[in-house]
Amino acid sequence: APRKPSAMEQLSEMRSGSAKGLVGSLPAGTTHDLHDGYVEVCVPPTKSKARDEGARVPISSLPQFAQLAFGGVQSLNQLQSAVVETALHSNENMLVCAPTGAGK
């Protein structure tokens, strides 16, 4: 049976070889440093782009039980407005990822 490559061999392969194409897909300014047992990849932050905020859902349009959670708030934020139909009116599973304080 063929020998499975060690973790270090796999990491070395990431820097040059079949996985080299992945490096080309990272943003300019990305750095890679090979350490003992791992590769450190630093990706620079991207510049924010102007976003179309779209229509925000008014709290008054939510069912009464849901309005209780939004005392003093006039409308859902952008993220909440984008997912309210799925979150409130469907049985679909959701995975919502957003920074702390984004209104998840």
Side-chain angles (χ1 to χ4, degrees):
R3 181 181 72 81
K4 182 179 176 184
S6 70
M8 282 305 294
E9 290 169 333
Q10 291 175 19
L11 291 172
S12 293
E13 182 64 23
M14 288 180 71
R15 290 185 59 103
S16 63
S18 62
K20 191 174 183 182
L22 294 174
V23 174
S25 65
L26 295 171
T30 299
T31 60
H32 303 81
D33 293 315
L34 182 60
H35 297 277
D36 187 24
Y38 67 97
V39 175
E40 179 181 3
V41 179
C42 294
V43 179
T46 58
K47 294 180 181 174
S48 296
K49 297 178 182 175
R51 298 181 193 149
D52 176 19
E53 291 196 20
R56 294 191 179 208
V57 175
I59 299 300
S60 60
S61 71
L62 301 176
Q64 189 63 37
F65 73 89
Q67 291 182 29
L68 297 173
F70 295 96
V73 177
Q74 299 299 314
S75 64
L76 297 178
N77 68 25
Q78 185 178 358
L79 173 67
Q80 294 162 340
S81 295
V83 301
V84 70
E85 285 302 313
T86 302
L88 195 57
H89 304 294
S90 79
N91 290 325
E92 292 292 320
N93 293 322
M94 291 179 51
L95 173 62
V96 178
C97 301
T100 301
K104 297 182 290 287

